[in-house]
Amino acid sequence: MAITIRLGSEADNPRIHDLVSKITMPGPAEMCFQRKPDFFVGSRVVGDEFIMTVAEDDERPDVLAGLTVISGHDMFINGKPRRLYYSGDTRVDPHYRRRGIASALLIACLCALVLLALLLLAQGIGRLGNWFNQELFGRPTTL
């Protein structure tokens, strides 16, 4: 069994619904939260941006071993606007539990967030460099 973790996409929607339907919350009344027909619409409700990672088993390509979602949205904390990220919707197929998949999914999501932030920072530094060497608006022309 080889588990691969990657970013989730809307093409994973059917397998996500299969995974979510396997996981219930036990109690006097068992509950199962589903987001049909589109899991991603529900993720957009939790936050205005989100990153999803999914775990796949190479031996069972028809199922997902797990998934996690980190959503971000703006909030006011002590009267100041702050960007808040929330880790939710971590689901692991009961067949794959106790193998470290949930923590690996969360770490992959956090790495994706850090890489996204670094990419935005690099873009900003590049634009600042373009401004200093006068490439932001282009060089003066004789036209």
Side-chain angles (χ1 to χ4, degrees):
M1 172 180 69
I3 300 293
T4 304
I5 296 178
R6 63 170 176 78
L7 292 177
S9 70
E10 295 193 16
D12 297 316
N13 210 31
R15 295 189 302 158
I16 290 171
H17 286 297
D18 289 340
L19 173 65
V20 170
S21 68
K22 294 178 190 176
I23 301 167
T24 60
M25 293 194 294
E30 278 194 4
M31 295 175 59
C32 180
F33 292 100
Q34 297 187 13
R35 296 182 185 164
K36 287 188 176 178
D38 187 2
F39 187 85
F40 291 86
V41 170
S43 296
R44 289 182 191 97
V45 170
V46 175
D48 54 13
E49 69 173 336
F50 66 92
I51 293 178
M52 173 189 290
T53 53
V54 296
E56 296 177 312
D57 182 355
D58 295 341
E59 295 174 5
R60 296 176 64 200
D62 55 323
V63 299
L64 288 178
L67 71 92
T68 194
V69 178
I70 294 181
S71 302
H73 61 278
D74 295 319
M75 292 188 69
F76 286 90
I77 300 174
N78 294 329
K80 296 179 181 175
R82 300 276 188 234
R83 188 78 179 157
L84 179 72
Y85 288 92
Y86 170 78
S87 172
D89 287 325
T90 299
R91 318 274 177 116
V92 177
D93 186 309
H95 177 75
Y96 294 97
R97 292 195 177 156
R98 307 268 188 258
R99 298 180 188 182
I101 291 175
S103 58
L105 284 164
L106 185 59
I107 289 169
C109 249
L110 291 173
C111 287
L113 273 175
V114 168
L115 288 174
L116 180 63
L118 290 174
L119 178 66
L120 292 174
L121 179 65
Q123 286 287 325
I125 291 171
R127 297 300 171 259
L128 186 63
N130 287 348
W131 183 76
F132 276 112
N133 63 16
Q134 296 182 352
E135 291 177 357
L136 187 63
F137 303 108
R139 300 212 182 271
T141 66
T142 58
L143 295 177

